[in-house]
Amino acid sequence: MIAITVKLFAAYQEAYNLPELNLEVPLHTPVSEVLNRILREHPELEQWRNLTRFGVNFQFVEPDTILQNGDEVALIPPVSGG
């Protein structure tokens, strides 16, 4: 298992009422699996699945990017504001 920090924004932060989560995931876990896990816990967020971008350690990455111990993952849904 590896430890990661998941930064939550917009709807994800609202669902958890937290700015971040500390998770343990198996070795060789792709970043997309973090989103899958969150959607299992909060199915009301499913509408954001195909619109969410992934960041790892302050860089945008593809969904199949494999996570490493200590990575900081950002789930970035579309946001609006003024």
Side-chain angles (χ1 to χ4, degrees):
M1 298 293 279
I2 60 171
I4 62 169
T5 301
V6 181
K7 298 289 188 178
L8 302 172
F9 298 96
Y12 296 113
Q13 190 176 89
E14 291 172 17
Y16 281 92
N17 201 29
L18 293 169
E20 66 181 39
L21 303 172
N22 294 309
L23 302 178
E24 287 193 351
V25 297
L27 288 171
H28 312 295
T29 296
V31 70
S32 61
E33 184 53 36
V34 174
L35 179 58
N36 291 338
R37 180 172 171 173
I38 284 174
L39 295 178
R40 284 192 299 273
E41 292 177 6
H42 288 277
E44 72 275 13
L45 297 171
E46 183 67 40
Q47 63 183 321
W48 305 114
R49 176 186 295 275
N50 295 327
L51 302 172
T52 297
R53 297 204 50 201
F54 301 100
V56 175
N57 302 326
F58 303 104
Q59 294 188 31
F60 286 110
V61 298
E62 294 300 318
D64 60 353
T65 299
I66 301 298
L67 295 169
Q68 304 295 318
N69 191 50
D71 278 349
E72 184 177 277
V73 175
L75 298 179
I76 308 165
V79 294
S80 63

